[in-house]
C-alpha cells in the first residue's frame, strides 16, 4: 500500500505469486490506479485475505471505500464561495481559532439516536461495529486477461465464493431485514454470481432455509413448504427433490412457533449427484434432480433408533462420499442405548459396530492407516479413548483420564423413568442415584431442568465448581432428576408445569426420592422455568433460579445485549414459543410470567443474576426479587459484579457453588443455616464477610 495525503487509508495494490519453485516465480500484479473499471474512491481492503482460485485463473479479494482525512472531509462539505475569489478581505484569525489564536474545541453530545426505520437496532450496530468497519465487497482479478470484476456492491453486499467454484453466491437480506429483526422470521434472496463476468441471476427468492451449494458449486439446496429443492445454476431450473420420497422431512418434533420447519439436511454427496437427508430416524439418499429416494438405514423409525449425521473422518473431504464406508452415530430414543453404525461402501443396510448402555462421543481415523479412535463412557466412566480397526471391534483402551475417581464417592447408578405429561405426551426422565445408594431408602433430590434432559442418562459429569454439578451432588448424598419438557405454543411456563410435576411424581413412586426434600434448579431458560414452577406448586422445598426470565412482557421488548438484538424474535420464533407479541396474546404472556403469580410462592428461593448479564437483562432478577420481597417471601439474590450470563471468575464460581450447597443442605438435609442466609450481610460488612469465606491461595516461594 502507498500513502495518499487525502485519505486515512493506504491505496493498495495486489501481488499474486505462483509456481514458487521456478526461478523466478510467476508474478501477477494488479494496480487499481491503472484499471479504468475499478470504482473511484475505493481501494483494495487489507481486512479480507486474498485467495487464488484453485486453478490459479483468478484472485479473489475485497475492496472498500477510502476514508477521507478530516480536512479533506471538511473541504468536501464546504459550499463554494460566492463572488470574487480575489477579494482582499481576510479573516483576522484562522478559521476555528478562538481567543488568543488557540483552536476551539467542539463539545459534542454523547448521543445514540434510535430510529424506528433502522433495519438493525443501534445496540446491534454497536456490537457489530468492527464487522461493519472492516466490511469489504468481494471482487476478482483475472491475470491472463487483466480483467477486474466487481462481484458485490451496494445492491448485493454479501457475496461469498469457494475457490474451486465457477459461481459465487450472493445473499440479500435487505428487503426482509427490518421485519426479520422484529419477529425472527428471517428471509433472504439468493443469487448466483458468475465469477468471470459478475453477472447475477436471482436463484431463490425469499428463502428462509437455504443450505448452501453442492461440492462443485453448480447447484444450490433449499427448503420450502415441506420439501427440499435444488437449483441448477447453469440450467436455471428448480427441482423438488423430495416430492416422490415416501416420508416427510418436516420436523414434527419441533415445538417452536414455526410452520413446517425442516429436519436439517446432512449435506451433499461428494459428486453432487445426491443430497443426504434425515427424517429424524433414518438416513436418505435422494437424487439432486428428485426421485423416490433410498433409505440407507432401513428400520430406524420402527426400531426407535435415530441415525445421526455421518462422521467426517477426513477433514479435507468435501461432501459425503456415498461409495465409501460411512459411519453413523446411532441412538435409541427410548432405552438411551447408543453406538456407531457403518454403511459398507455406502450401501443400504447398517452394521451396528458399537452398541450399549453408554455414550460414544466422537470417532476419528488416522490419516495414513486403517486405525480408528473412538470414545466410550457412562455416567460413572469418563469417555476414554479406544483404538481399533475399521470394524471397531476389540478396541484397545488408550487412556485412563480420571484414575483419581476411585478415591471419591460416585453415583451408584441410573434409572430411566417413563412418564406422561399432563397433556398426554410420552416422556422420560434420567434419575441419578446417590453414592452408596441403599434400596428402600429415600434421598433428598435435586430436580435439574432445561428442555429435554433424559438423553444425559449416560453422560459423564466431571465435578466442577461452577454452580450446580450432578456428580458433586450425587457424591454428597443427593439423587438428581433430569426430566424432559416439551412445549405447547403460548404456554412455555405452563408446559414446564405439565411435564416436570408428573416426572417428579413418577420419580417419587420409584422409592428413591424423598418427597419432603426436593430442590429445584435451572439456569437461563431453566431459571425461568424454576421461577415459574414455584408459583404453581409447593412440591419443592427449595429452589435456585439462575439468570431467570421473570416478566415475559417486559422481557419481550428488552435487548439481548450480547448480540445487541431485541428479544422479540426469540419470543416469536425461537425459545419463547409465543404466536405474537403481548398485544396479540396478552393473557398468554401474563399467565406464563412468574412475577404475576409471586403471591403464590411458598418455596425459599435464591436468584442468581449478574449486573452485566447480556442475555437475560439484570432487571428481570430485580423485578422478581423486589416483588417477592414486597410480599415478604423468603428470597435471596446473588449478584456477582461485572459478570455476564454465567460466572467466569473462579472466585465467583466457587462462592456460588458453596452458597448453593449450603442453601440446599439447610432446606433438604436439615443442616444449620449459615448466617448470610439467615440474616443477610450489611454492605459495610460485605468485604469482611467475603474475605472470611475466601480460600487461602498459597503464597509464591521466596525469590
Amino acid at each position: 500500500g502507498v500513502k495518499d495525503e487525502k485519505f486515512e487509508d493506504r491505496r493498495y495494490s495486489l501481488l499474486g505469486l505462483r509456481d514458487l519453485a521456478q526461478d523466478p516465480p510467476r508474478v501477477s500484479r494488479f494496480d487499481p490506479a491503472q484499471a479504468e473499471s475499478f470504482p473511484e474512491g475505493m481501494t483494495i481492503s487489507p481486512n479480507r485475505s486474498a485467495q487464488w482460485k484453485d486453478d490459479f485463473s483468478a484472485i479473489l479479494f475485497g475492496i472498500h471505500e477510502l476514508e477521507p482525512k478530516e480536512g479533506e472531509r471538511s473541504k468536501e462539505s464546504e459550499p463554494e464561495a460566492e463572488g470574487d475569489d480575489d477579494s482582499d478581505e481576510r479573516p483576522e484569525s484562522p478559521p476555528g481559532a478562538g481567543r488568543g489564536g488557540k483552536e476551539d474545541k467542539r463539545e459534542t453530545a454523547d448521543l445514540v439516536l434510535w430510529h424506528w426505520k433502522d433495519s438493525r437496532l443501534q445496540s446491534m450496530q454497536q456490537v457489530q461495529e468492527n464487522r461493519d468497519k472492516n466490511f469489504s465487497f468481494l471482487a476478482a482479478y483475472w491475470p491472463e486477461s487483466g480483467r477486474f470484476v466487481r462481484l458485490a456492491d451496494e445492491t448485493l453486499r454479501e457475496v461469498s465464493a469457494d475457490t474451486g467454484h465457477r459461481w459465487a453466491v450472493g445473499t440479500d437480506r435487505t428487503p426482509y431485514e427490518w421485519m426479520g429483526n422484529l419477529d425472527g422470521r428471517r428471509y433472504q434472496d439468493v443469487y448466483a454470481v458468475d465469477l468471470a463476468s459478475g453477472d447475477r441471476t436471482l436463484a431463490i427468492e425469499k428463502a428462509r432455509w437455504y443450505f448452501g451449494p453442492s461440492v462443485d458449486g453448480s447447484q444450490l439446496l433449499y427448503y420450502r413448504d415441506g420439501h427440499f429443492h435444488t437449483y441448477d445454476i447453469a440450467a436455471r431450473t428448480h427441482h423438488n427433490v423430495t416430492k416422490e420420497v415416501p416420508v416427510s422431512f418436516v420436523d414434527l418434533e419441533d415445538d417452536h412457533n414455526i410452520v413446517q420447519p425442516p429436519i436439517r439436511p446432512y449435506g451433499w454427496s461428494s459428486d453432487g449427484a445426491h443430497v443426504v437427508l434425515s427424517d429424524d430416524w433414518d438416513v436418505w439418499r435422494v437424487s439432486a434432480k428428485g426421485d423416490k429416494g433410498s433409505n440407507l438405514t432401513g428400520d430406524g423409525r420402527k426400531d426407535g433408533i435415530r441415525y445421526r449425521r455421518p462422521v467426517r473422518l477426513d477433514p479435507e473431504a468435501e461432501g459425503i462420499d456415498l461409495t465409501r464406508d460411512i459411519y453413523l452415530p446411532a441412538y435409541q430414543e427410548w432405552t438411551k442405548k447408543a453406538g456407531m453404525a457403518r454403511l459398507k461402501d455406502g450401501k443400504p443396510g447398517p452394521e451396528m459396530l458399537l452398541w450399549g448402555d453408554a455414550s460414544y462421543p466422537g470417532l476419528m481415523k488416522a490419516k495414513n492407516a486403517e486405525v480408528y479412535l473412538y470414545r466410550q463412557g457412562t455416567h460413572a466412566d469418563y469417555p476414554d479413548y479406544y483404538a481399533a480397526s475399521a470394524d471397531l471391534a476389540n478396541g484397545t483402551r488408550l487412556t485412563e483420564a480420571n484414575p483419581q475417581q476411585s478415591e471419591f464417592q460416585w453415583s451408584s447408578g441410573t434409572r430411566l423413568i417413563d412418564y406422561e405429561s399432563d397433556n398426554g405426551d410420552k416422556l422420560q426422565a434420567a434419575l441419578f442415584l446417590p453414592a452408596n445408594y441403599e434400596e428402600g431408602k429415600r434421598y433428598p433430590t435435586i430436580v435439574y431442568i432445561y428442555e429435554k434432559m433424559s438423553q444425559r442418562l449416560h453422560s459423564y459429569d466431571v465435578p466442577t465448581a461452577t454452580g450446580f454439578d450432578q456428580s458433586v451432588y450425587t457424591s454428597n448424598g443427593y439423587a438428581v432428576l433430569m426430566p424432559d419438557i416439551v412445549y405447547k405454543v403460548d404456554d412455555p411456563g405452563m408446559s414446564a408445569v405439565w411435564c416436570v410435576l408428573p416426572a417428579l411424581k413418577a420419580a417419587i413412586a420409584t422409592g428413591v426420592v424423598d418427597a419432603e426434600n426436593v430442590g429445584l434448579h435451572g439456569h437461563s431458560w431453566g431459571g425461568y422455568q424454576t421461577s415459574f414452577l414455584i408459583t404453581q406448586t409447593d412440591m419443592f422445598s427449595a429452589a435456585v433460579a439462575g439468570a431467570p426470565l421473570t416478566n415475559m412482557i417486559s422481557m419481550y421488548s428488552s435487548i439481548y445485549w450480547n448480540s445487541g438484538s431485541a428479544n422479540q424474535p426469540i419470543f416469536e420464533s425461537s425459545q419463547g414459543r409465543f404466536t405474537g407479541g403481548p398485544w396479540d396474546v396478552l393473557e398468554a404472556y401474563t399467565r406464563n410470567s412468574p412475577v404475576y403469580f409471586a403471591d403464590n410462592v411458598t418455596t425459599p428461593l435464591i436468584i442468581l443474576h449478574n449486573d452485566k448479564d447480556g442475555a437475560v437483562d439484570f432487571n428481570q432478577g430485580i423485578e422478581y426479587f423486589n416483588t417477592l420481597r414486597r410480599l415478604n417471601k423468603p428470597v435471596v439474590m446473588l449478584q456477582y459484579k461485572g459478570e455476564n450470563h454465567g460466572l467466569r471468575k473462579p472466585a465467583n464460581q466457587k462462592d456460588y457453588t458453596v452458597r448453593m450447597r449450603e442453601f440446599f443442605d439447610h432446606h433438604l438435609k436439615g443442616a444449620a443455616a449459615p448466617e448470610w442466609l439467615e440474616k443477610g450481610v450489611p454492605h459495610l460488612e460485605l468485604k469482611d464477610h467475603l474475605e472470611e469465606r475466601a480460600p487461602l491461595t498459597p503464597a509464591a516461594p521466596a525469590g
Side-chain angles (χ1 to χ4, degrees):
V2 295
K3 291 183 179 179
D4 187 320
E5 297 302 323
K6 294 182 179 181
F7 298 99
E8 297 287 349
D9 310 91
R10 287 175 175 266
R11 287 186 178 272
Y12 286 94
S13 296
L14 184 68
L15 185 67
L17 294 91
R18 56 176 290 197
D19 300 329
L20 299 184
Q22 294 182 11
D23 187 16
R26 293 177 62 179
V27 178
S28 301
R29 289 184 173 87
F30 172 61
D31 182 357
Q34 307 301 318
E36 292 183 4
S37 59
F38 195 86
E40 187 177 352
M42 301 190 81
T43 186
I44 294 174
S45 172
N47 299 316
R48 183 198 289 254
S49 296
Q51 291 179 291
W52 280 106
K53 276 183 56 63
D54 289 353
D55 61 3
F56 296 98
S57 60
I59 304 173
L60 303 171
F61 56 96
I63 63 175
H64 68 187
E65 293 182 1
L66 289 159
E67 182 182 356
K69 287 189 175 179
E70 190 63 37
E72 298 296 326
R73 192 181 296 114
S74 300
K75 288 179 185 178
E76 291 177 5
S77 61
E78 285 179 4
E80 293 185 10
E82 296 181 3
D84 188 358
D85 288 341
D86 296 327
S87 171
D88 290 334
E89 294 184 12
R90 294 288 184 270
E92 294 181 1
S93 58
R99 294 178 181 176
K102 293 182 178 179
E103 190 75 17
D104 288 341
K105 291 184 178 179
R106 294 184 183 273
E107 187 176 349
T108 59
D110 294 323
L111 171 70
V112 178
L113 197 157
W114 300 59
H115 196 280
W116 71 278
K117 290 184 179 180
D118 289 340
S119 59
R120 292 178 295 159
L121 283 174
Q122 287 292 321
S123 52
M124 182 183 287
Q125 294 181 50
Q126 291 166 18
V127 170
Q128 297 174 353
E129 180 179 2
N130 285 335
R131 189 200 73 172
D132 292 344
K133 280 183 178 179
N134 295 326
F135 177 81
S136 64
F137 299 95
L138 186 65
Y141 172 63
W142 297 79
E144 293 298 323
S145 61
R147 285 180 299 118
F148 165 79
V149 179
R150 185 170 183 179
L151 302 171
D153 56 27
E154 287 295 347
T155 62
L156 184 62
R157 292 172 59 87
E158 302 287 346
V159 178
S160 61
D162 187 286
T163 54
H165 295 174
R166 173 187 167 184
W167 288 277
V169 177
T171 53
D172 182 17
R173 299 175 177 82
T174 307
Y176 320 106
E177 187 174 28
W178 185 81
M179 195 66 203
N181 284 331
L182 294 178
D183 66 9
R185 294 166 176 83
R186 294 185 171 88
Y187 297 94
Q188 58 189 333
D189 294 331
V190 182
Y191 289 81
V193 183
D194 192 322
L195 287 175
S197 65
D199 292 342
R200 303 166 183 171
T201 302
L202 177 59
I204 313 165
E205 187 174 9
K206 200 177 182 181
R208 187 171 185 181
W209 290 288
Y210 163 63
F211 296 107
S214 58
V215 172
D216 65 356
S218 65
Q219 303 170 89
L220 308 178
L221 177 65
Y222 66 101
Y223 172 93
R224 176 171 288 161
D225 299 330
H227 287 284
F228 284 97
H229 302 254
T230 60
Y231 176 78
D232 186 313
I233 296 176
R236 299 189 181 185
T237 54
H238 295 264
H239 303 275
N240 183 335
V241 301
T242 56
K243 184 178 180 181
E244 303 298 327
V245 182
V247 295
S248 171
F249 296 98
V250 177
D251 192 348
L252 299 176
E253 295 182 26
D254 188 332
D255 51 22
H256 297 87
N257 178 33
I258 303 175
V259 177
Q260 291 189 315
I263 301 164
R264 294 193 70 84
Y266 288 158
W268 286 89
S269 65
S270 55
D271 61 3
H274 297 87
V275 291
V276 182
L277 306 176
S278 168
D279 66 2
D280 242 359
W281 300 96
D282 290 301
V283 178
W284 289 78
R285 180 186 64 211
V286 181
S287 168
K289 297 296 186 284
D291 62 8
K292 293 184 178 181
S294 297
N295 182 342
L296 299 180
T297 50
D299 294 324
R301 184 182 297 273
K302 176 183 174 183
D303 297 336
I305 297 176
R306 299 186 191 270
Y307 292 95
R308 305 298 197 188
R309 181 181 299 275
V311 178
R312 188 179 182 184
L313 293 176
D314 181 357
E316 297 177 359
E318 295 186 86
I320 301 169
D321 190 340
L322 295 173
T323 66
R324 304 184 64 180
D325 291 357
I326 299 173
Y327 290 81
L328 304 166
Y331 170 76
Q332 216 293 338
E333 180 68 25
W334 304 112
T335 67
K336 309 306 177 188
K337 289 180 182 290
M340 189 69 64
R342 178 176 63 180
L343 300 175
K344 190 66 175 172
D345 299 325
K347 295 177 181 177
E351 308 169 75
M352 197 64 74
L353 305 180
L354 299 172
W355 189 247
D357 290 310
S359 63
Y360 298 91
L363 176 68
M364 295 181 284
K365 179 187 176 297
K367 184 174 183 179
N368 298 315
E370 285 297 305
V371 178
Y372 293 73
L373 207 64
Y374 66 87
R375 300 175 71 190
Q376 177 177 323
T378 70
H379 80 285
D381 302 297
Y382 183 84
D384 279 304
Y385 286 94
Y386 293 76
S389 58
D391 60 6
L392 306 185
N394 304 314
T396 301
R397 184 174 178 177
L398 301 180
T399 62
E400 188 178 358
N402 284 336
Q404 71 277 13
Q405 181 178 315
S406 60
E407 302 173 23
F408 298 88
Q409 297 189 91
W410 209 260
S411 170
S412 295
T414 61
R415 292 189 182 179
L416 186 60
I417 299 174
D418 295 302
Y419 69 98
E420 276 193 5
S421 75
D422 288 337
N423 291 315
D425 302 298
K426 181 182 177 182
L427 300 175
Q428 293 180 306
L431 178 62
F432 299 87
L433 302 177
N436 303 317
Y437 169 72
E438 298 176 21
E439 189 74 34
K441 182 178 178 181
R442 292 186 178 271
Y443 292 85
T445 300
I446 305 295
V447 179
Y448 181 71
I449 57 174
Y450 193 75
E451 292 191 353
K452 282 192 172 182
M453 299 293 290
S454 65
Q455 70 275 13
R456 293 185 58 172
L457 185 74
H458 299 307
S459 296
Y460 182 92
D461 270 13
V462 177
T464 58
T466 54
F468 176 80
D469 185 283
Q470 154 199 328
S471 297
V472 172
Y473 277 81
T474 56
S475 294
N476 284 277
Y478 287 89
V480 173
L481 180 69
M482 297 186 183
D484 288 341
I485 302 173
V486 294
Y487 296 87
K488 307 300 179 187
V489 293
D490 288 333
D491 270 313
M494 289 306 302
S495 293
V497 176
W498 297 328
C499 297
V500 174
L501 298 188
L504 178 54
K505 292 172 184 176
I508 293 170
T510 66
V512 175
V513 175
D514 180 356
E516 301 301 316
N517 291 291
V518 179
L520 177 65
H521 174 58
H523 187 85
S524 190
W525 188 247
Y528 156 62
Q529 293 168 123
T530 296
S531 62
F532 185 79
L533 273 161
I534 62 173
T535 70
Q536 305 296 310
T537 181
D538 59 2
M539 291 187 71
F540 300 102
S541 299
V544 177
L549 298 74
T550 63
N551 184 337
M552 304 304 260
I553 297 174
S554 62
M555 185 67 184
Y556 172 86
S557 292
S558 297
I559 302 294
Y560 196 99
W561 293 104
N562 287 339
S563 66
S565 60
N567 285 325
Q568 295 155 335
I570 299 174
F571 273 69
E572 294 190 46
S573 295
S574 185
Q575 200 163 37
R577 298 173 170 89
F578 287 99
T579 55
W583 54 89
D584 295 310
V585 283
L586 179 60
E587 200 275 328
Y589 276 79
T590 303
R591 71 172 177 262
N592 288 280
S593 293
V595 71
Y596 297 121
F597 300 95
D599 191 37
N600 297 339
V601 174
T602 60
T603 305
L605 175 68
I606 284 181
I607 301 170
L608 166 72
H609 221 128
N610 305 320
D611 50 3
K612 298 300 181 183
D613 194 322
V616 179
D617 196 278
F618 181 43
N619 201 56
Q620 290 290 302
I622 294 293
E623 276 196 60
Y624 202 38
F625 174 80
N626 276 339
T627 302
L628 291 169
R629 181 172 177 269
R630 171 66 178 81
L631 294 167
N632 197 29
K633 303 293 184 177
V635 60
V636 171
M637 190 166 82
L638 306 177
Q639 170 200 347
Y640 292 92
K641 293 187 288 186
E643 292 275 24
N644 200 307
H645 193 49
L647 299 176
R648 290 193 174 185
K649 186 178 176 182
N652 293 341
Q653 294 175 343
K654 294 174 184 177
D655 186 82
Y656 179 45
T657 301
V658 173
R659 290 183 197 275
M660 186 188 295
R661 273 286 307 282
E662 289 176 333
F663 175 72
F664 281 134
D665 283 354
H666 169 62
H667 288 291
L668 306 184
K669 286 187 171 183
E675 190 169 341
W676 67 266
L677 182 60
E678 189 82 11
K679 300 179 180 179
V681 182
H683 177 69
L684 293 180
E685 299 175 16
L686 187 59
K687 182 178 179 182
D688 290 340
H689 167 74
L690 294 175
E691 288 180 350
E692 289 172 3
R693 291 175 63 89
L696 286 174
T697 302

